[in-house]
Amino acid sequence: MVTRLSNFFLRTLREDPAGAEVASHRLLIRAGYIRPQAAGIFAWLPLGLRVKAKIETVIREEMAAAGAQEVHFPALMPREAYEATGRWDEYGDLLFRLQDRKGGDYLLAPTHEEAFTMLVKDLYSSYKDLPLTIFQIQDKYRDEARPRAGLLRGREFTMKDAYSFDSSDAGLDASYQAQRDAYERIFQRLGLEYAIVQADAGAMGGSRSEEFLHPTPVGEDTFVRSAGGYAANVEAFTTAVPDAIPFDADAAPVIFDSPNTPTIDTLVAHCNANLDGEFTAADTLKNVVLALTHLDGTRELVVVGIPGDREVDEKRAEVAFAPAEVETATADDFEKNPLLVKGYIGPWSPTGAILGEESATGIRYLVDPRVSEGTSWITGANMDQKHAHSVVAGRDFAADGIVEIANVREGDPAPDGSGPVELARGMEIGHVFQLGRKYAEALGLKVLDENGKLVTVTMGSYGIGVTRILAIIAELNNDDKGLIWPASVAPFDVQVVAAGRDQVAFDVAADISAQLESAGLDVLYDDRPKVSPGVKFGDAELVGVPKIVIVGRGAADGQVELWDRSTGERDAISVADAIARLAQR
Amino acid sequence: MVTRLSNFFLRTLREDPAGAEVASHRLLIRAGYIRPQAAGIFAWLPLGLRVKAKIETVIREEMAAAGAQEVHFPALMPREAYEATGRWDEYGDLLFRLQDRKGGDYLLAPTHEEAFTMLVKDLYSSYKDLPLTIFQIQDKYRDEARPRAGLLRGREFTMKDAYSFDSSDAGLDASYQAQRDAYERIFQRLGLEYAIVQADAGAMGGSRSEEFLHPTPVGEDTFVRSAGGYAANVEAFTTAVPDAIPFDADAAPVIFDSPNTPTIDTLVAHCNANLDGEFTAADTLKNVVLALTHLDGTRELVVVGIPGDREVDEKRAEVAFAPAEVETATADDFEKNPLLVKGYIGPWSPTGAILGEESATGIRYLVDPRVSEGTSWITGANMDQKHAHSVVAGRDFAADGIVEIANVREGDPAPDGSGPVELARGMEIGHVFQLGRKYAEALGLKVLDENGKLVTVTMGSYGIGVTRILAIIAELNNDDKGLIWPASVAPFDVQVVAAGRDQVAFDVAADISAQLESAGLDVLYDDRPKVSPGVKFGDAELVGVPKIVIVGRGAADGQVELWDRSTGERDAISVADAIARLAQR
């Protein structure tokens, strides 16, 4: 089809929109793909809808190839099922909640696990009905605290969300693999390089969980990978637990005065000046006091011992303590707990057993996996201006549990033994994970098995952010002039620009457009009569159709220029050659 | 493509769902097209999505043919623009309202006039940019007081809404006509008979307004039509105003005692017994007291004089007084206004001039168009147990205005002189109307005209309820066994049923399915291995694919039955003939 720019609903903008910090946000607005309606909420203009439809088509085709069937849920859902799974509350402020005229509680669904679970429960009852994978492409809502970066983190966004239902774990594995394979094909077709990294299932519950990340230095997510093939996002990285070290059960820790050493740096300097030996931060045990806010609103202090050369990684701490919220303990927390001697906190006290014995303080003491049995540490003595050395884990203190909140560093060993990891950055483009029986249990989804016994169904959940992917493709494919779409998702296959002043350029351009249409191409024809070639070229570069035919002075002689938006090359060739080359694709 | 029923996400139900009163609601749920999620809110199953997609494709094709371009707005919209046009309040309880985490007011849009207006204002500035018609196919929300009849009146529904923008009235007429023509083509393609009737623009404001109604005795809307081509819904019907009649200016009305005649019937009986002549209800003037509640919450009483042989039509009264709400005056209203003598109210009083003079009562007196200058009436005397005759409009009383609240009757003259009207019933399937400058004025949408002067844009609005149409098609095409889809929107072109007990039936059925697929047909193949032919036939009838191939006992001999779901005819023919006949369509 030929779309004529003279009456196409498009107005490109010269100025960058206010507050648009990332290229995709800026360019999608300037080039007339989207228009902001409210923070994180956009309208789609004809150009944007075309790209979105192309992405959706790729996804639909690969979902069908993977045996997934399409359904569609409303955005507006009643509270009940979300209440049953606890997510009505867990989502906190992220959820748009509302009431109908009768006072019934509703939400704008951020995801639809509950609805899919209830649907299958409504209709299916036997293991023979399974496996089943159903999906939708649907607009979702999350009331983000800081919607930003345009479509990358919006409050309304289009997602493909698929859910698999199986009566056995082996079945779930197969359904999971089918979706995972489909995702690989989708990203390959969209020209999106990806790494598959282990992820934490987080607030969704469940077991196996992998993210598809597009590796890019400007990515918002950090992940780690080893040369041996291990890859995980930092939240999911697990520290290899060292073997236990034999220790001298009779020896005892030594308390020493350490005036003015409330930080690791000052402590290490003090030790090097006053103790035998050379010490680094890695020899010290740093005890961090964190405050957790649980779902029921209660606040709990915990102390976590991590090697002194590590910092707390906020994201890892979030995941480790989810669904509780984590923050650093406040001055007020310390005031209320005078036994916590700031700057001199230790895991134990020879004089009073403050920590490590819950009965004494009521505060849980947790440790990093590296604080394993037999390791010896310099650490606080729980007395002002005093530390202790030769404090041995498993002898002088015992933790209430292990927790992964320390940061991951380049060179840390991959947990699967595949060598040291490096850190990389990426953007999430997809997520597959095994929900297991969490939702089916909460909502009572059971089927009869081969023996006529009721078994709880096991589920998987598979998401791709359609509008997010569109933005990522735009983010990865642009220059200072505008967008440069890959052919697979470009709004048009080719743009024909009538760039001459004479009627002949317009006649030839119209003819070329018609011929390209006959060859099955989607053509945008810039037929605007009184717009200068310079403005037309600028608009073409901004809009980013990958192939451009310039019909200018040479038109009368059957010559045009074929312009590759990506390389910038312009070839002067005959009309016939131009059409032949474009028709090949 | 061949879809195999053995793993298709479908479960037909034997029982009618509770509370489903209309056939489309009952059958779409039983046959596995939709599932209720909450009152008036449904999920779409694979079968339903297929039919919906076919309807949307027809609409998209005809919109493109009419030059309309597709955009897409979010359902969640900020309050501001709806506040500027007054609709934030006007919509009352119909609007789903909510707040985001920062306390900002939002709504789930019931229609998007404001958003489209603002979009064009954002991007366009010159008459040269116009005309423009843009549309979306989008999910809308209305918090109906009584969601009912399944998809016919839901709280979430899919609509195609288009809006045209022109700089002149002539332009609007042309844009309106283009959409009106497109609607005719759409309904023709969908096999939906329609009448185009004049409608009242109602709360939307504006001028020309027409509804597409599907005429059916079970329709919820009443409309009138004349043999001469006039058609209007009852709300829009206008009464021909009679010419003024000369009257004797010196004569005076005559008051008479009329004990116990508070109703028209008792009054007519009294007159026939006590006055000279033969009287009917048409000779009397009935004065109805109504209470209006205005948008600002104030309550106003009005008295309306209508011929005594007419009743108040609630819908016409609603439209006549919109946006105020209308109800019959209460006993309390009469108590507070002792000058209104119930049962004996007249337009005027010779003794005290109660009505007809606003100063006396503060109550407006309005009349039906038939109460025109020179008409003479028997009516109340505004005194208990007294009426008056020879009361002449324009001589003895003057109305504050004319209002159309009286019911329309078969035989009433069409206002265009095309003869008497008959009453008919129909279902609304589309609506086109000229908004005029209401929204453009409220939101400041102006463009520069040929002379460089700013002119306010004039708009049209064009809506089709996609999910409503789907339900109407289902409502019109079913029998006691199930649905019977017209070919243009059927979820599949043909259903192949393996109805034999032997493997050969399945082999032949699979082969036929593959051949039909090669011929370009969408095939649903019932390959369920252990389901009896009877159950399969029942499911086929319920699901309603228009053509069915039964592969049974004759399969081994190359014989099948071709079953027409609509006529019920079954033809025993050869496999080759069956394929040939189906491939022709």
Side-chain angles (χ1 to χ4, degrees):
Chain A
M1 195 173 139
V2 177
T3 299
R4 286 172 175 258
L5 205 44
S6 59
N7 54 20
F8 189 51
F9 185 46
L10 169 68
R11 190 63 76 244
T12 57
L13 308 177
R14 292 194 186 182
E15 304 293 326
D16 281 339
E21 282 159 19
V22 302
S24 59
H25 188 188
R26 207 166 58 229
L27 291 171
L28 288 171
I29 292 175
R30 276 192 52 206
Y33 285 74
I34 56 174
R35 283 299 294 170
Q37 300 297 306
I41 299 177
F42 297 88
W44 290 81
L45 306 187
L47 275 179
L49 267 192
R50 282 177 165 259
V51 176
K52 188 162 176 262
K54 290 210 172 175
I55 295 173
E56 290 176 355
T57 298
V58 168
I59 293 174
R60 282 204 170 91
E61 287 174 359
E62 295 303 336
M63 283 297 111
Q69 301 180 58
E70 188 167 359
V71 300
H72 192 87
F73 277 90
L76 184 66
M77 296 292 296
R79 168 178 180 162
E80 287 71 20
Y82 288 80
E83 181 78 38
T85 59
R87 296 209 301 169
W88 174 266
D89 292 318
E90 274 172 35
Y91 260 109
D93 285 345
L94 269 184
L95 208 57
F96 282 106
R97 297 178 183 82
L98 67 158
Q99 292 195 323
D100 71 0
R101 66 199 296 155
K102 290 177 179 162
D105 282 321
Y106 288 79
L107 54 87
L108 299 183
T111 66
H112 279 89
E113 279 79 359
E114 287 84 352
F116 277 78
T117 307
M118 291 302 295
L119 178 64
V120 174
K121 180 183 174 184
D122 267 4
L123 297 179
Y124 276 5
S125 56
S126 161
Y127 75 98
K128 291 184 210 157
D129 298 329
L130 306 180
L132 170 72
T133 298
I134 44 184
F135 78 100
Q136 62 178 352
I137 293 181
Q138 197 259 0
D139 291 339
K140 307 211 171 303
Y141 296 85
R142 284 186 208 182
D143 195 1
E144 297 282 350
R146 284 170 298 280
R148 62 192 164 74
L151 301 175
L152 286 173
R153 174 131 321 175
R155 295 198 294 171
E156 178 180 77
F157 51 96
T158 307
M159 264 191 75
K160 186 286 294 181
D161 49 331
Y163 304 89
S164 66
F165 299 85
D166 283 277
S167 56
S168 72
D169 292 345
L172 170 57
D173 284 341
S175 297
Y176 180 90
Q177 192 63 39
Q179 282 289 308
R180 194 178 187 272
D181 292 346
Y183 275 42
E184 296 208 53
R185 293 192 302 270
I186 289 167
F187 296 126
Q188 285 159 15
R189 287 181 62 180
L190 295 177
L192 271 175
E193 195 194 329
Y194 58 89
I196 305 178
V197 308
Q198 292 175 33
D200 186 90
M204 309 297 292
S207 46
R208 192 171 172 198
S209 171
E210 290 170 296
E211 278 175 9
F212 285 73
L213 292 184
H214 175 80
T216 162
V218 300
E220 54 190 1
D221 293 326
T222 304
F223 69 104
V224 301
R225 57 185 169 194
S226 75
Y230 174 82
N233 65 22
V234 288
E235 294 93 320
F237 178 85
T238 51
T239 305
V241 179
D243 291 336
I245 302 168
F247 55 80
D248 177 353
D250 297 331
V254 178
I255 297 173
F256 57 92
D257 287 330
S258 57
N260 301 316
T261 56
T263 65
I264 296 296
D265 284 350
T266 52
L267 173 61
V268 170
H270 178 92
C271 292
N272 282 327
N274 297 285
L275 303 180
D276 273 352
E278 290 243 11
F279 303 94
T280 69
D283 299 314
T284 69
L285 177 62
K286 173 157 68 178
N287 294 290
V288 182
V289 187
L290 300 174
L292 310 183
T293 306
H294 294 284
L295 279 185
D296 63 3
T298 58
R299 187 176 170 92
E300 179 197 4
L301 290 191
V302 295
V303 178
V304 184
I306 63 175
D309 61 337
R310 302 264 166 180
E311 304 300 326
V312 175
D313 180 310
E314 277 183 30
K315 282 193 168 178
R316 282 167 63 76
E318 254 177 45
V319 165
F321 290 112
E325 285 183 21
V326 194
E327 59 177 331
T328 309
T330 61
D332 189 49
D333 289 323
F334 281 100
E335 252 175 60
K336 285 183 182 156
N337 291 276
L339 296 177
L340 296 176
V341 186
K342 199 170 177 183
Y344 301 90
I345 298 171
W348 105 122
S349 157
T351 55
I354 298 175
L355 299 179
E357 295 186 19
E358 210 173 321
S359 54
T361 61
I363 293 175
R364 282 192 291 157
Y365 183 69
L366 307 169
V367 293
D368 184 87
R370 279 161 289 233
V371 186
S372 56
E373 187 174 309
T375 52
S376 176
W377 304 91
I378 301 170
T379 189
N382 292 319
M383 291 179 280
D384 196 31
Q385 316 290 328
K386 286 186 199 300
H387 279 86
H389 65 74
S390 306
V391 180
V392 175
R395 183 190 72 184
D396 303 318
F397 66 92
D400 295 311
I402 291 174
V403 70
E404 296 253 18
I405 67 167
N407 61 334
V408 184
R409 286 197 305 234
E410 298 258 349
D412 282 348
D416 63 355
S418 64
V421 300
E422 61 165 10
L423 295 177
R425 296 189 73 80
M427 286 182 177
E428 187 184 333
I429 53 178
H431 198 170
V432 292
F433 57 105
Q434 300 191 351
L435 293 172
R437 297 182 173 79
K438 171 178 167 168
Y439 288 92
E441 252 158 29
L443 298 167
L445 168 58
K446 294 170 197 281
V447 294
L448 292 171
D449 71 5
E450 295 89 331
N451 307 313
K453 267 184 50 184
L454 276 176
V455 293
T456 299
V457 168
T458 181
M459 293 169 54
S461 166
Y462 317 95
I464 290 181
V466 174
T467 44
R468 181 176 161 81
I469 278 187
L470 186 150
I472 287 174
I473 294 173
E475 194 69 32
L476 299 170
N477 297 281
N478 67 73
D479 61 17
D480 58 346
K481 307 259 177 56
L483 295 159
I484 310 168
W485 293 105
S488 61
V489 299
F492 293 94
D493 297 316
V494 58
Q495 178 157 354
V496 176
V497 179
R501 275 164 196 79
D502 304 328
Q503 184 58 33
V504 64
F506 286 83
D507 292 344
V508 172
D511 182 55
I512 291 173
S513 298
Q515 289 193 55
L516 292 171
E517 178 190 16
S518 301
L521 299 182
D522 241 355
V523 182
L524 179 62
Y525 169 28
D526 191 345
D527 64 333
R528 291 175 294 174
K530 287 177 187 167
V531 175
S532 76
V535 168
K536 287 186 176 180
F537 297 158
D539 277 348
E541 288 180 302
L542 182 55
V543 166
V545 174
K547 304 284 180 194
I548 304 161
V549 181
I550 303 173
V551 187
R553 257 176 246 138
D557 307 321
Q559 289 289 308
V560 295
E561 278 184 281
L562 193 52
W563 183 11
D564 185 307
R565 173 68 184 92
S566 164
T567 64
E569 278 171 31
R570 292 192 188 199
D571 293 346
I573 56 175
S574 71
V575 168
D577 285 351
I579 290 169
R581 268 166 65 176
L582 290 167
Q584 285 173 12
R585 298 199 219 193
Chain B
M1 195 171 139
V2 177
T3 299
R4 285 172 175 258
L5 205 45
S6 59
N7 54 19
F8 188 53
F9 185 47
L10 170 67
R11 190 64 75 247
T12 56
L13 309 176
R14 291 194 185 181
E15 303 294 325
D16 282 338
E21 283 161 19
V22 301
S24 60
H25 188 188
R26 208 165 58 227
L27 292 172
L28 288 170
I29 292 176
R30 277 192 52 205
Y33 286 73
I34 57 174
R35 285 297 293 169
Q37 301 297 305
I41 299 177
F42 296 88
W44 290 82
L45 306 187
L47 275 179
L49 267 192
R50 281 175 167 262
V51 177
K52 187 163 176 261
K54 291 209 173 177
I55 295 173
E56 290 176 355
T57 297
V58 168
I59 293 174
R60 281 204 171 89
E61 287 173 359
E62 295 303 337
M63 284 296 110
Q69 302 180 57
E70 188 167 359
V71 300
H72 193 86
F73 276 91
L76 183 65
M77 295 293 295
R79 167 177 179 163
E80 286 72 20
Y82 289 79
E83 181 78 38
T85 59
R87 296 208 301 168
W88 174 265
D89 292 318
E90 274 173 34
Y91 259 108
D93 285 345
L94 268 185
L95 207 57
F96 281 107
R97 296 177 183 83
L98 68 158
Q99 291 196 323
D100 70 1
R101 66 199 295 156
K102 291 178 178 160
D105 282 322
Y106 288 79
L107 55 88
L108 299 183
T111 66
H112 279 89
E113 278 78 359
E114 287 84 351
F116 276 79
T117 308
M118 291 302 294
L119 179 64
V120 174
K121 180 183 174 184
D122 267 4
L123 297 179
Y124 276 4
S125 56
S126 161
Y127 75 98
K128 291 185 210 157
D129 298 330
L130 305 179
L132 171 72
T133 299
I134 45 184
F135 78 100
Q136 62 178 353
I137 294 181
Q138 197 259 359
D139 292 339
K140 306 212 171 304
Y141 296 84
R142 282 187 209 181
D143 196 1
E144 297 281 351
R146 284 171 297 280
R148 63 193 162 75
L151 301 176
L152 286 174
R153 174 133 320 176
R155 295 198 294 171
E156 179 181 77
F157 51 94
T158 306
M159 263 191 75
K160 187 286 295 182
D161 48 331
Y163 304 89
S164 67
F165 299 85
D166 283 277
S167 56
S168 71
D169 291 345
L172 170 57
D173 284 340
S175 297
Y176 179 91
Q177 192 63 39
Q179 282 289 308
R180 192 179 189 273
D181 292 346
Y183 274 42
E184 295 208 53
R185 291 192 303 268
I186 289 167
F187 296 126
Q188 284 160 14
R189 287 180 61 179
L190 295 176
L192 272 174
E193 195 195 329
Y194 58 90
I196 303 178
V197 309
Q198 292 176 33
D200 185 89
M204 310 296 291
S207 46
R208 191 171 172 198
S209 171
E210 289 169 298
E211 277 175 9
F212 285 73
L213 292 184
H214 176 81
T216 162
V218 300
E220 53 191 1
D221 293 326
T222 305
F223 69 104
V224 300
R225 56 185 170 196
S226 75
Y230 174 82
N233 65 22
V234 287
E235 295 92 318
F237 177 85
T238 51
T239 305
V241 179
D243 291 336
I245 302 168
F247 55 80
D248 177 354
D250 297 330
V254 178
I255 296 173
F256 58 91
D257 286 330
S258 58
N260 300 317
T261 56
T263 64
I264 295 297
D265 284 351
T266 52
L267 173 61
V268 170
H270 178 91
C271 292
N272 281 327
N274 296 285
L275 302 180
D276 272 352
E278 290 244 13
F279 303 94
T280 70
D283 298 314
T284 69
L285 177 62
K286 172 155 70 178
N287 293 292
V288 180
V289 186
L290 299 174
L292 310 183
T293 306
H294 294 283
L295 279 185
D296 62 6
T298 57
R299 188 175 170 93
E300 180 199 2
L301 291 191
V302 294
V303 177
V304 184
I306 63 177
D309 61 339
R310 301 265 168 181
E311 303 302 324
V312 174
D313 180 308
E314 276 184 32
K315 283 192 169 180
R316 283 168 62 76
E318 253 176 48
V319 165
F321 291 111
E325 283 182 24
V326 193
E327 58 178 331
T328 309
T330 61
D332 189 49
D333 289 322
F334 281 98
E335 253 176 58
K336 285 184 184 157
N337 291 277
L339 296 178
L340 295 176
V341 185
K342 199 170 178 182
Y344 301 88
I345 299 173
W348 106 122
S349 156
T351 56
I354 297 174
L355 299 178
E357 294 187 19
E358 210 172 322
S359 55
T361 61
I363 294 174
R364 284 193 289 156
Y365 183 68
L366 308 170
V367 291
D368 184 86
R370 279 161 287 233
V371 186
S372 55
E373 188 174 311
T375 52
S376 176
W377 305 91
I378 299 171
T379 189
N382 292 320
M383 292 180 281
D384 195 32
Q385 315 291 330
K386 288 187 197 300
H387 280 87
H389 65 75
S390 308
V391 180
V392 176
R395 183 190 71 182
D396 303 316
F397 65 93
D400 295 310
I402 290 174
V403 71
E404 295 253 18
I405 67 168
N407 62 333
V408 184
R409 286 196 305 233
E410 298 258 350
D412 282 348
D416 64 354
S418 63
V421 300
E422 61 166 9
L423 293 177
R425 295 189 74 80
M427 286 182 177
E428 186 185 334
I429 53 178
H431 197 169
V432 291
F433 56 105
Q434 301 192 350
L435 293 172
R437 297 182 173 80
K438 171 178 167 168
Y439 288 91
E441 253 159 29
L443 298 167
L445 169 57
K446 294 171 198 278
V447 293
L448 292 171
D449 71 6
E450 296 88 332
N451 307 314
K453 268 183 51 185
L454 277 175
V455 293
T456 300
V457 169
T458 181
M459 293 167 55
S461 166
Y462 317 96
I464 291 181
V466 175
T467 45
R468 182 176 160 81
I469 278 187
L470 187 150
I472 287 175
I473 295 173
E475 194 69 33
L476 299 171
N477 297 279
N478 67 71
D479 60 18
D480 58 347
K481 309 259 177 57
L483 295 159
I484 309 167
W485 293 106
S488 61
V489 299
F492 294 94
D493 297 315
V494 58
Q495 179 157 352
V496 176
V497 179
R501 276 164 196 79
D502 306 327
Q503 184 56 36
V504 64
F506 286 82
D507 293 343
V508 171
D511 182 56
I512 291 173
S513 299
Q515 289 192 54
L516 292 170
E517 178 189 16
S518 301
L521 300 182
D522 241 355
V523 182
L524 178 63
Y525 169 28
D526 191 346
D527 64 335
R528 291 176 295 174
K530 287 175 186 167
V531 175
S532 74
V535 169
K536 287 185 177 180
F537 297 159
D539 277 347
E541 288 179 303
L542 183 55
V543 166
V545 174
K547 302 286 179 191
I548 303 162
V549 181
I550 302 172
V551 187
R553 257 176 247 138
D557 307 321
Q559 290 289 308
V560 295
E561 278 185 281
L562 193 53
W563 184 10
D564 185 306
R565 174 68 184 93
S566 164
T567 63
E569 278 171 31
R570 290 191 189 202
D571 292 346
I573 56 175
S574 71
V575 168
D577 285 351
I579 290 170
R581 267 168 63 177
L582 289 167
Q584 286 173 11
R585 301 199 216 191

